[in-house]
Amino acid sequence: MRRRRLWLGAACCFVAGDAMALQSRGALLSSFEGTFGVSESLLGLVAPAGTVGFVVAILAVGMLAGRLDVRHVLVFGAVAMAISLFAISVAPAYSLFLFALLVQGSAAGVFRAMDRPLLSHLYPDRRGRIFVLYALAWAVGAVVGPVLASAVLLVADWRAVYVILAVSIVPVVVLVLSLEVPSWNEQPLERDAIGPLLSSSGVRTTLLALALAGGIEGTVFTWLPYYAGTFLDRTTANLALSAFLLAYIPGRYAYAKLVDSISYLRLSLVTTGLSIPAFAIALGWPSVGMLVAVFCAGAFISSLFPLLSAYGVDIVPEYSGPMSALTTGATYAGTAFVPVVVGIAAELTSIRIAMWIPIGLTVVLFGLIWSMPARAEVSEAGTA
């Protein structure tokens, strides 16, 4: 029991550090601009530099999870993460800075391709609760990241932020090296099994649902402060995103308590349904009062990634590595793609109109989750 908790602690510490590194970038963009003297268009490369490496690494390693040594992969990912964070802090040129971001995202993808599959096998009967706790650790890091960046900027250069983040990964390396690797029954994914896995209606609809959920979250992460800035002062507008992220902490804590007594899909259906009016009120209430509705929307939508990804792994638990990689990849694909569509729509119409896109996606997601039990039954029947 103690060993399982230590493995859970190592995974949660890493994912919190990864979230801190991710969410601190926004608070440091102006510092990057001042240090490297680049244009706004070049600053736009900061987000994809980290995300592309992460998605490629998590898919590549996750699909091979059954063939790899768990400890070696986790140690490699954590060490590479620490080194790349330190490299970011000393990068003398913007091109090297972006390359270090690419390596940092790839290192995070390597570690996270293996940690959730390991937890899945360590807690096969409490997979949903563990995945929610894992996601809660990410939420804590996401909230702390911008706060850390702002605090450091008051007393030091932005580079100190990445030194602190690099040091925070060192205990994870020590813990992984000291823990005994548990035995697990992860099956190697053969090439001829990839087609049947991806053709399963339960798997396909789960990945589509997660892509929609990622698109909704990505739009809020990217555009909510900009939209709120059209009717609020900039400081208050930035609080909108803080309120949204802060809601993930009590929200995911509550779902960790509820998930053992309510099915993944039923709980996801309820929270998705409640997020529709929450988003509608937030976008239709152009005043500081929107912060309350934004907080509620964040609390509801925070359930989707951990619950739906746990549901996906439950479909094929013997392939938890590939399925975890696919669910994460689908989520990040939505996170990267939908905000671009919203930006194009905003340019053609207005940001107020474009921000109704995530509400429409939430309605579609509600209908998709409603249909998923039936689709899963069809999938299971076909497999049998």
Side-chain angles (χ1 to χ4, degrees), residues 112-240:
R112 294 184 60 184
M114 296 295 280
D115 61 356
R116 284 206 310 160
L118 176 62
L119 296 177
S120 175
H121 289 290
L122 285 173
Y123 295 91
D125 299 326
R126 308 188 74 186
R127 185 175 293 121
R129 178 179 174 84
I130 296 304
F131 277 21
V132 174
L133 290 175
Y134 177 92
L136 174 59
W138 182 94
V140 172
V143 172
V144 172
V147 176
L148 172 66
S150 299
V152 170
L153 289 178
L154 294 176
V155 296
D157 187 74
W158 65 268
R159 297 179 185 275
V161 175
Y162 286 95
V163 174
I164 294 171
L165 291 173
V167 172
S168 72
I169 301 298
V170 174
V172 177
V173 177
V174 174
L175 191 55
V176 172
L177 284 172
S178 64
L179 286 174
E180 179 184 352
V181 179
S183 59
W184 65 341
N185 59 342
E186 179 76 13
Q187 298 298 313
L189 181 62
E190 303 295 340
R191 183 175 299 179
D192 58 0
I194 297 177
L197 175 66
L198 295 178
S199 64
S200 163
S201 61
V203 171
R204 284 189 284 110
T205 51
T206 300
L207 296 180
L208 177 58
L210 281 164
L212 291 173
I216 296 164
E217 288 185 309
T219 300
V220 175
F221 294 161
T222 305
W223 290 106
L224 182 61
Y226 183 88
Y227 165 72
T230 61
F231 53 85
L232 297 174
D233 65 87
R234 179 50 54 191
T235 301
T236 306
N238 287 337
L239 287 177

Side-chain angles (χ1 to χ4, degrees), residues 22-62:
L22 174 67
Q23 295 297 340
S24 63
R25 293 174 193 165
L28 297 174
L29 275 181
S30 59
S31 298
F32 302 155
E33 183 181 29
T35 298
F36 298 110
V38 295
S39 64
E40 290 182 346
S41 59
L42 288 176
L43 278 178
L45 295 175
V46 168
T51 304
V52 169
F54 176 85
V55 173
V56 171
I58 199 170
L59 286 174
V61 176

Side-chain angles (χ1 to χ4, degrees), residues 15-368:
V15 75
D18 182 34
M20 289 169 63
L22 174 67
Q23 295 297 340
S24 63
R25 293 174 193 165
L28 297 174
L29 275 181
S30 59
S31 298
F32 302 155
E33 183 181 29
T35 298
F36 298 110
V38 295
S39 64
E40 290 182 346
S41 59
L42 288 176
L43 278 178
L45 295 175
V46 168
T51 304
V52 169
F54 176 85
V55 173
V56 171
I58 199 170
L59 286 174
V61 176
M63 298 300 282
L64 298 172
R67 305 177 185 276
L68 301 175
D69 183 275
V70 179
R71 189 201 302 278
H72 290 166
V73 173
L74 292 177
V75 170
F76 175 82
V79 170
M81 179 77 161
I83 293 174
S84 59
L85 286 168
F86 182 75
I88 292 172
S89 73
V90 298
Y94 191 61
S95 57
L96 294 175
F97 169 79
L98 291 178
F99 179 74
L101 277 178
L102 178 68
V103 175
Q104 182 251 311
S106 301
V110 169
F111 190 98
R112 294 184 60 184
M114 296 295 280
D115 61 356
R116 284 206 310 160
L118 176 62
L119 296 177
S120 175
H121 289 290
L122 285 173
Y123 295 91
D125 299 326
R126 308 188 74 186
R127 185 175 293 121
R129 178 179 174 84
I130 296 304
F131 277 21
V132 174
L133 290 175
Y134 177 92
L136 174 59
W138 182 94
V140 172
V143 172
V144 172
V147 176
L148 172 66
S150 299
V152 170
L153 289 178
L154 294 176
V155 296
D157 187 74
W158 65 268
R159 297 179 185 275
V161 175
Y162 286 95
V163 174
I164 294 171
L165 291 173
V167 172
S168 72
I169 301 298
V170 174
V172 177
V173 177
V174 174
L175 191 55
V176 172
L177 284 172
S178 64
L179 286 174
E180 179 184 352
V181 179
S183 59
W184 65 341
N185 59 342
E186 179 76 13
Q187 298 298 313
L189 181 62
E190 303 295 340
R191 183 175 299 179
D192 58 0
I194 297 177
L197 175 66
L198 295 178
S199 64
S200 163
S201 61
V203 171
R204 284 189 284 110
T205 51
T206 300
L207 296 180
L208 177 58
L210 281 164
L212 291 173
I216 296 164
E217 288 185 309
T219 300
V220 175
F221 294 161
T222 305
W223 290 106
L224 182 61
Y226 183 88
Y227 165 72
T230 61
F231 53 85
L232 297 174
D233 65 87
R234 179 50 54 191
T235 301
T236 306
N238 287 337
L239 287 177
L241 181 55
S242 298
F244 185 80
L245 286 171
L246 185 62
Y248 276 44
I249 297 176
R252 285 177 170 171
Y253 179 80
Y255 303 134
K257 297 291 186 181
L258 294 172
V259 72
D260 287 336
S261 55
I262 304 176
S263 70
Y264 303 146
L265 291 184
R266 183 172 299 177
L267 188 53
S268 299
L269 188 68
V270 171
T271 56
T272 304
L274 291 174
S275 67
I276 296 172
F279 274 127
I281 293 172
L283 298 180
W285 191 0
S287 70
V288 72
M290 74 169 292
L291 297 179
V292 177
V294 165
F295 183 89
C296 293
F300 295 139
I301 212 73
S302 69
S303 69
L304 295 180
F305 174 72
L307 294 179
L308 292 176
S309 58
Y311 173 77
V313 172
D314 271 1
I315 296 176
V316 283
E318 68 278 14
Y319 295 133
S320 61
M323 195 61 199
S324 292
L326 289 170
T327 55
T328 304
T331 304
Y332 273 76
T335 301
F337 178 72
V338 176
V340 176
V341 175
V342 172
I344 295 173
E347 185 172 346
L348 295 176
T349 56
S350 69
I351 187 60
R352 177 178 289 274
I353 294 175
M355 285 299 287
W356 285 88
I357 290 176
I359 296 180
L361 293 180
T362 308
V363 174
V364 173
L365 180 58
F366 179 84
L368 184 62

